[in-house]
């Protein structure tokens, strides 16, 4: 069974440009999460989808970030316009169920560098 | 401000030594998880502890959840070079959808 995949693995853009990150969850997983780790800080929650609906987007830093999951399969996270402080590693995770004993499976991350 | 504080941040030991990593919080979590992350990969779940005072063993790794469910520890016995990596603790909220991560402990085991 394929794990969570993310594309691209690396992205280098200039400040002010737009970048779109993609996440393909494990097949059959209704729950999809986005997290990010900026330099020197801990991994932080961004948002949670259940199928195509945003269940919790309390971690989204500002309105330059837009996440979508049309059709309830893969998800995209768009940053527009990108700022220097957006640099970091963006992780996607998926899970079959939501519960405090359930497992979130993480993808390898997309390393975003904003110059 | 980190809700979950891990210590130490870095640890370099010789193969065969024992070590303990700590994860402390001022908040109570529904459960706490430990992950290991390798370079270029995402975190991989090692264990979930739910009950205060719970102890779980995974081969040479022993995980403990504090009685008050605010802190946890990971003890590795007779460390091997293959144990090298970044160890992360994460608390889970009541809804079960949000992980709050600690800053991580980077472990290097030298031969």
């Amino acid at each position: 069974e394929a794990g969570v995949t993310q594309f691209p693995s690396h992205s280098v853009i200039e400040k002010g440009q737009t970048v779109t990150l993609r996440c393909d969850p494990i097949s059959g997983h209704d729950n999809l999460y986005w997290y990010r780790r900026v330099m020197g800080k801990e991994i932080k929650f961004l948002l949670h989808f259940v199928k195509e609906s945003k269940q919790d987007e309390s971690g989204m830093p500002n309105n330059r970030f837009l996440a979508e999951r049309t059709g309830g399969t893969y998800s995209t996270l768009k940053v527009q316009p990108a700022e220097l402080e957006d640099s970091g590693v963006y992780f996607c995770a998926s899970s079959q169920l939501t519960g405090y004993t359930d497992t979130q499976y993480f993808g390898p991350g997309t390393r975003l560098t904003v110059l | 401000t980190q809700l979950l504080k891990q210590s130490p941040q870095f640890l370099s030991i010789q193969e065969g030594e024992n070590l303990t990593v700590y994860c402390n919080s001022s908040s109570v979590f529904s459960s706490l998880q430990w992950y290991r992350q390798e370079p270029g990969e995402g975190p991989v779940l090692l264990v979930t502890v739910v009950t205060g005072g719970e102890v779980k063993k995974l081969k040479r790794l022993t995980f403990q959840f504090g009685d008050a469910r605010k802190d946890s520890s990971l003890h590795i016995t007779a460390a091997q070079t293959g144990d090298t990596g970044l160890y992360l603790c994460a608390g889970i909220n009541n809804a079960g959808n949000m992980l709050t991560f600690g800053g991580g402990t980077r472990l290097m085991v030298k031969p």
Side-chain angles (χ1 to χ4, degrees), chain B residues 11 13-20 36 57-62 74-84 87 107-111:
Chain B
L11 190 55
I13 61 171
Q14 294 294 136
E15 196 169 30
E17 292 183 353
N18 301 333
L19 67 115
T20 302
R36 182 174 158 191
K57 292 196 174 190
L58 191 67
K59 296 183 182 176
R60 294 175 295 100
L61 278 59
T62 301
L74 157 60
H75 181 81
I76 301 179
T77 304
Q80 300 176 355
T81 55
D83 296 328
T84 293
Y87 289 83
L107 172 65
M108 170 156 312
V109 182
K110 296 181 281 189

mmCIF file of all heavy atoms in Angstrom, chain B residues 11 13-20 36 57-62 74-84 87 107-111:
data_model
loop_
_atom_site.group_PDB
_atom_site.id
_atom_site.type_symbol
_atom_site.label_atom_id
_atom_site.label_comp_id
_atom_site.label_asym_id
_atom_site.label_seq_id
_atom_site.Cartn_x
_atom_site.Cartn_y
_atom_site.Cartn_z
ATOM 1 N N LEU B 11 21.667 15.012 21.894
ATOM 2 C CA LEU B 11 22.285 13.998 22.729
ATOM 3 C C LEU B 11 23.214 13.169 21.864
ATOM 4 O O LEU B 11 22.789 12.610 20.849
ATOM 5 C CB LEU B 11 21.196 13.121 23.354
ATOM 6 C CG LEU B 11 21.588 12.138 24.437
ATOM 7 C CD1 LEU B 11 22.312 12.841 25.577
ATOM 8 C CD2 LEU B 11 20.349 11.433 24.965
ATOM 9 N N ILE B 13 25.872 10.010 22.236
ATOM 10 C CA ILE B 13 26.334 8.968 23.153
ATOM 11 C C ILE B 13 27.056 7.879 22.386
ATOM 12 O O ILE B 13 27.001 7.823 21.149
ATOM 13 C CB ILE B 13 25.162 8.343 23.932
ATOM 14 C CG1 ILE B 13 24.168 7.698 22.963
ATOM 15 C CG2 ILE B 13 24.484 9.367 24.819
ATOM 16 C CD1 ILE B 13 23.101 6.878 23.657
ATOM 17 N N GLN B 14 27.731 7.001 23.129
ATOM 18 C CA GLN B 14 28.395 5.855 22.520
ATOM 19 C C GLN B 14 27.427 4.680 22.449
ATOM 20 O O GLN B 14 26.525 4.540 23.282
ATOM 21 C CB GLN B 14 29.620 5.439 23.354
ATOM 22 C CG GLN B 14 30.741 6.449 23.386
ATOM 23 C CD GLN B 14 31.393 6.658 22.033
ATOM 24 O OE1 GLN B 14 31.659 7.781 21.623
ATOM 25 N NE2 GLN B 14 31.660 5.563 21.320
ATOM 26 N N GLU B 15 27.647 3.862 21.453
ATOM 27 C CA GLU B 15 26.863 2.640 21.314
ATOM 28 C C GLU B 15 26.948 1.836 22.617
ATOM 29 O O GLU B 15 28.015 1.729 23.232
ATOM 30 C CB GLU B 15 27.426 1.822 20.151
ATOM 31 C CG GLU B 15 26.500 0.733 19.645
ATOM 32 C CD GLU B 15 26.998 0.149 18.321
ATOM 33 O OE1 GLU B 15 28.218 0.134 18.090
ATOM 34 O OE2 GLU B 15 26.145 -0.262 17.524
ATOM 35 N N GLY B 16 25.799 1.301 23.038
ATOM 36 C CA GLY B 16 25.785 0.494 24.259
ATOM 37 C C GLY B 16 25.319 1.250 25.488
ATOM 38 O O GLY B 16 24.949 0.635 26.496
ATOM 39 N N GLU B 17 25.348 2.586 25.429
ATOM 40 C CA GLU B 17 24.900 3.382 26.572
ATOM 41 C C GLU B 17 23.372 3.447 26.620
ATOM 42 O O GLU B 17 22.679 3.186 25.636
ATOM 43 C CB GLU B 17 25.482 4.800 26.483
ATOM 44 C CG GLU B 17 26.987 4.862 26.680
ATOM 45 C CD GLU B 17 27.528 6.282 26.665
ATOM 46 O OE1 GLU B 17 26.762 7.211 26.363
ATOM 47 O OE2 GLU B 17 28.731 6.447 26.947
ATOM 48 N N ASN B 18 22.887 3.817 27.798
ATOM 49 C CA ASN B 18 21.450 4.037 27.992
ATOM 50 C C ASN B 18 21.170 5.526 27.943
ATOM 51 O O ASN B 18 22.055 6.345 28.229
ATOM 52 C CB ASN B 18 20.995 3.488 29.336
ATOM 53 C CG ASN B 18 21.258 1.999 29.473
ATOM 54 O OD1 ASN B 18 21.308 1.280 28.481
ATOM 55 N ND2 ASN B 18 21.449 1.553 30.705
ATOM 56 N N LEU B 19 19.929 5.888 27.605
ATOM 57 C CA LEU B 19 19.578 7.311 27.580
ATOM 58 C C LEU B 19 18.099 7.471 27.866
ATOM 59 O O LEU B 19 17.298 6.547 27.674
ATOM 60 C CB LEU B 19 19.906 7.917 26.215
ATOM 61 C CG LEU B 19 19.049 7.397 25.060
ATOM 62 C CD1 LEU B 19 18.175 8.499 24.480
ATOM 63 C CD2 LEU B 19 19.924 6.767 23.995
ATOM 64 N N THR B 20 17.753 8.671 28.335
ATOM 65 C CA THR B 20 16.348 9.019 28.563
ATOM 66 C C THR B 20 16.070 10.389 27.977
ATOM 67 O O THR B 20 16.851 11.327 28.176
ATOM 68 C CB THR B 20 16.009 9.016 30.065
ATOM 69 O OG1 THR B 20 16.306 7.727 30.607
ATOM 70 C CG2 THR B 20 14.535 9.322 30.281
ATOM 71 N N ARG B 36 9.576 9.047 15.503
ATOM 72 C CA ARG B 36 10.967 9.134 15.101
ATOM 73 C C ARG B 36 10.995 9.636 13.662
ATOM 74 O O ARG B 36 10.201 9.191 12.815
ATOM 75 C CB ARG B 36 11.639 7.772 15.185
ATOM 76 C CG ARG B 36 13.098 7.804 14.819
ATOM 77 C CD ARG B 36 13.719 6.479 15.055
ATOM 78 N NE ARG B 36 14.928 6.363 14.246
ATOM 79 C CZ ARG B 36 15.589 5.245 14.078
ATOM 80 N NH1 ARG B 36 15.162 4.127 14.632
ATOM 81 N NH2 ARG B 36 16.669 5.228 13.338
ATOM 82 N N LYS B 57 6.529 -0.921 26.242
ATOM 83 C CA LYS B 57 7.875 -1.306 25.790
ATOM 84 C C LYS B 57 7.826 -1.728 24.338
ATOM 85 O O LYS B 57 6.921 -2.418 23.883
ATOM 86 C CB LYS B 57 8.406 -2.448 26.649
ATOM 87 C CG LYS B 57 8.681 -2.040 28.083
ATOM 88 C CD LYS B 57 9.564 -3.047 28.803
ATOM 89 C CE LYS B 57 9.918 -2.501 30.184
ATOM 90 N NZ LYS B 57 10.945 -3.279 30.860
ATOM 91 N N LEU B 58 8.852 -1.273 23.614
ATOM 92 C CA LEU B 58 9.009 -1.620 22.207
ATOM 93 C C LEU B 58 10.470 -2.020 22.050
ATOM 94 O O LEU B 58 11.335 -1.184 21.831
ATOM 95 C CB LEU B 58 8.668 -0.402 21.340
ATOM 96 C CG LEU B 58 8.524 -0.599 19.843
ATOM 97 C CD1 LEU B 58 7.314 -1.451 19.536
ATOM 98 C CD2 LEU B 58 8.380 0.776 19.172
ATOM 99 N N LYS B 59 10.737 -3.302 22.205
ATOM 100 C CA LYS B 59 12.104 -3.844 22.171
ATOM 101 C C LYS B 59 12.955 -3.110 23.213
ATOM 102 O O LYS B 59 12.708 -3.216 24.407
ATOM 103 C CB LYS B 59 12.698 -3.744 20.763
ATOM 104 C CG LYS B 59 11.951 -4.586 19.740
ATOM 105 C CD LYS B 59 12.593 -4.521 18.376
ATOM 106 C CE LYS B 59 11.786 -5.341 17.385
ATOM 107 N NZ LYS B 59 12.318 -5.253 15.995
ATOM 108 N N ARG B 60 13.950 -2.351 22.793
ATOM 109 C CA ARG B 60 14.838 -1.680 23.754
ATOM 110 C C ARG B 60 14.308 -0.298 24.169
ATOM 111 O O ARG B 60 14.969 0.406 24.941
ATOM 112 C CB ARG B 60 16.235 -1.533 23.147
ATOM 113 C CG ARG B 60 16.967 -2.854 22.913
ATOM 114 C CD ARG B 60 18.302 -2.656 22.182
ATOM 115 N NE ARG B 60 18.077 -2.147 20.825
ATOM 116 C CZ ARG B 60 18.208 -0.856 20.497
ATOM 117 N NH1 ARG B 60 18.590 0.040 21.378
ATOM 118 N NH2 ARG B 60 17.999 -0.468 19.241
ATOM 119 N N LEU B 61 13.141 0.078 23.678
ATOM 120 C CA LEU B 61 12.571 1.383 24.000
ATOM 121 C C LEU B 61 11.464 1.221 25.026
ATOM 122 O O LEU B 61 10.594 0.364 24.874
ATOM 123 C CB LEU B 61 11.996 2.034 22.725
ATOM 124 C CG LEU B 61 12.951 2.759 21.779
ATOM 125 C CD1 LEU B 61 14.050 1.865 21.252
ATOM 126 C CD2 LEU B 61 12.182 3.398 20.639
ATOM 127 N N THR B 62 11.503 2.055 26.067
ATOM 128 C CA THR B 62 10.469 2.052 27.107
ATOM 129 C C THR B 62 9.866 3.441 27.182
ATOM 130 O O THR B 62 10.585 4.431 27.331
ATOM 131 C CB THR B 62 11.047 1.665 28.474
ATOM 132 O OG1 THR B 62 11.639 0.366 28.380
ATOM 133 C CG2 THR B 62 9.949 1.641 29.532
ATOM 134 N N LEU B 74 11.038 8.735 27.265
ATOM 135 C CA LEU B 74 11.449 7.646 26.377
ATOM 136 C C LEU B 74 12.828 7.205 26.831
ATOM 137 O O LEU B 74 13.755 8.020 26.880
ATOM 138 C CB LEU B 74 11.497 8.152 24.936
ATOM 139 C CG LEU B 74 12.389 7.398 23.931
ATOM 140 C CD1 LEU B 74 11.969 5.952 23.790
ATOM 141 C CD2 LEU B 74 12.370 8.105 22.582
ATOM 142 N N HIS B 75 12.951 5.952 27.200
ATOM 143 C CA HIS B 75 14.231 5.417 27.646
ATOM 144 C C HIS B 75 14.697 4.373 26.636
ATOM 145 O O HIS B 75 13.925 3.485 26.249
ATOM 146 C CB HIS B 75 14.079 4.773 29.038
ATOM 147 C CG HIS B 75 15.349 4.232 29.582
ATOM 148 N ND1 HIS B 75 16.299 5.023 30.200
ATOM 149 C CD2 HIS B 75 15.839 2.965 29.600
ATOM 150 C CE1 HIS B 75 17.318 4.274 30.569
ATOM 151 N NE2 HIS B 75 17.065 3.025 30.224
ATOM 152 N N ILE B 76 15.936 4.502 26.198
ATOM 153 C CA ILE B 76 16.515 3.524 25.283
ATOM 154 C C ILE B 76 17.639 2.801 26.016
ATOM 155 O O ILE B 76 18.558 3.437 26.569
ATOM 156 C CB ILE B 76 17.054 4.181 23.991
ATOM 157 C CG1 ILE B 76 15.937 4.914 23.259
ATOM 158 C CG2 ILE B 76 17.692 3.120 23.081
ATOM 159 C CD1 ILE B 76 16.369 5.610 21.974
ATOM 160 N N THR B 77 17.558 1.495 26.009
ATOM 161 C CA THR B 77 18.568 0.653 26.653
ATOM 162 C C THR B 77 19.566 0.171 25.604
ATOM 163 O O THR B 77 19.164 -0.249 24.524
ATOM 164 C CB THR B 77 17.910 -0.552 27.321
ATOM 165 O OG1 THR B 77 16.924 -0.082 28.247
ATOM 166 C CG2 THR B 77 18.917 -1.409 28.046
ATOM 167 N N ALA B 78 20.834 0.237 25.948
ATOM 168 C CA ALA B 78 21.893 -0.273 25.051
ATOM 169 C C ALA B 78 21.729 0.270 23.641
ATOM 170 O O ALA B 78 21.490 -0.482 22.693
ATOM 171 C CB ALA B 78 21.905 -1.797 25.055
ATOM 172 N N ALA B 79 21.858 1.582 23.521
ATOM 173 C CA ALA B 79 21.623 2.250 22.234
ATOM 174 C C ALA B 79 22.507 1.666 21.135
ATOM 175 O O ALA B 79 23.659 1.266 21.370
ATOM 176 C CB ALA B 79 21.874 3.746 22.374
ATOM 177 N N GLN B 80 21.941 1.645 19.934
ATOM 178 C CA GLN B 80 22.658 1.177 18.755
ATOM 179 C C GLN B 80 22.764 2.324 17.750
ATOM 180 O O GLN B 80 21.971 3.271 17.798
ATOM 181 C CB GLN B 80 21.920 -0.011 18.131
ATOM 182 C CG GLN B 80 21.787 -1.192 19.063
ATOM 183 C CD GLN B 80 20.972 -2.323 18.482
ATOM 184 O OE1 GLN B 80 20.405 -2.204 17.379
ATOM 185 N NE2 GLN B 80 20.889 -3.432 19.206
ATOM 186 N N THR B 81 23.692 2.219 16.829
ATOM 187 C CA THR B 81 23.867 3.293 15.837
ATOM 188 C C THR B 81 22.591 3.505 15.030
ATOM 189 O O THR B 81 22.291 4.615 14.604
ATOM 190 C CB THR B 81 25.031 2.980 14.882
ATOM 191 O OG1 THR B 81 24.819 1.699 14.278
ATOM 192 C CG2 THR B 81 26.363 2.952 15.635
ATOM 193 N N GLY B 82 21.807 2.450 14.864
ATOM 194 C CA GLY B 82 20.549 2.554 14.137
ATOM 195 C C GLY B 82 19.482 3.360 14.863
ATOM 196 O O GLY B 82 18.452 3.686 14.271
ATOM 197 N N ASP B 83 19.723 3.684 16.134
ATOM 198 C CA ASP B 83 18.776 4.503 16.891
ATOM 199 C C ASP B 83 18.966 5.988 16.589
ATOM 200 O O ASP B 83 18.148 6.809 17.011
ATOM 201 C CB ASP B 83 18.953 4.279 18.395
ATOM 202 C CG ASP B 83 18.619 2.859 18.819
ATOM 203 O OD1 ASP B 83 17.727 2.244 18.187
ATOM 204 O OD2 ASP B 83 19.258 2.359 19.775
ATOM 205 N N THR B 84 20.012 6.332 15.884
ATOM 206 C CA THR B 84 20.273 7.732 15.543
ATOM 207 C C THR B 84 19.082 8.318 14.792
ATOM 208 O O THR B 84 18.526 7.688 13.900
ATOM 209 C CB THR B 84 21.545 7.840 14.671
ATOM 210 O OG1 THR B 84 22.672 7.476 15.460
ATOM 211 C CG2 THR B 84 21.740 9.250 14.145
ATOM 212 N N TYR B 87 13.822 12.404 17.619
ATOM 213 C CA TYR B 87 12.698 11.846 18.362
ATOM 214 C C TYR B 87 11.769 12.992 18.767
ATOM 215 O O TYR B 87 12.194 13.978 19.360
ATOM 216 C CB TYR B 87 13.184 11.077 19.592
ATOM 217 C CG TYR B 87 13.876 9.785 19.197
ATOM 218 C CD1 TYR B 87 15.222 9.794 18.815
ATOM 219 C CD2 TYR B 87 13.192 8.572 19.173
ATOM 220 C CE1 TYR B 87 15.855 8.623 18.422
ATOM 221 C CE2 TYR B 87 13.813 7.407 18.790
ATOM 222 C CZ TYR B 87 15.148 7.433 18.406
ATOM 223 O OH TYR B 87 15.768 6.270 18.018
ATOM 224 N N LEU B 107 19.194 12.664 18.445
ATOM 225 C CA LEU B 107 20.073 11.660 19.057
ATOM 226 C C LEU B 107 21.097 11.170 18.047
ATOM 227 O O LEU B 107 20.755 10.817 16.916
ATOM 228 C CB LEU B 107 19.247 10.470 19.548
ATOM 229 C CG LEU B 107 20.034 9.246 20.036
ATOM 230 C CD1 LEU B 107 20.847 9.582 21.288
ATOM 231 C CD2 LEU B 107 19.097 8.077 20.305
ATOM 232 N N MET B 108 22.357 11.151 18.477
ATOM 233 C CA MET B 108 23.408 10.538 17.669
ATOM 234 C C MET B 108 24.082 9.464 18.506
ATOM 235 O O MET B 108 24.546 9.737 19.615
ATOM 236 C CB MET B 108 24.444 11.566 17.226
ATOM 237 C CG MET B 108 25.665 10.911 16.596
ATOM 238 S SD MET B 108 26.635 11.877 15.471
ATOM 239 C CE MET B 108 25.495 12.595 14.383
ATOM 240 N N VAL B 109 24.090 8.263 17.964
ATOM 241 C CA VAL B 109 24.748 7.149 18.640
ATOM 242 C C VAL B 109 25.992 6.804 17.840
ATOM 243 O O VAL B 109 25.914 6.405 16.679
ATOM 244 C CB VAL B 109 23.823 5.921 18.739
ATOM 245 C CG1 VAL B 109 24.539 4.805 19.495
ATOM 246 C CG2 VAL B 109 22.515 6.285 19.416
ATOM 247 N N LYS B 110 27.146 6.957 18.490
ATOM 248 C CA LYS B 110 28.426 6.737 17.809
ATOM 249 C C LYS B 110 28.920 5.322 18.038
ATOM 250 O O LYS B 110 28.741 4.772 19.129
ATOM 251 C CB LYS B 110 29.452 7.752 18.314
ATOM 252 C CG LYS B 110 29.079 9.188 17.967
ATOM 253 C CD LYS B 110 30.116 10.173 18.454
ATOM 254 C CE LYS B 110 29.959 10.428 19.938
ATOM 255 N NZ LYS B 110 30.816 11.543 20.394
ATOM 256 N N PRO B 111 29.534 4.730 16.999
ATOM 257 C CA PRO B 111 30.022 3.348 17.145
ATOM 258 C C PRO B 111 31.237 3.267 18.058
ATOM 259 O O PRO B 111 31.915 4.247 18.323
ATOM 260 C CB PRO B 111 30.385 2.947 15.704
ATOM 261 C CG PRO B 111 30.611 4.230 14.991
ATOM 262 C CD PRO B 111 29.741 5.271 15.655
#
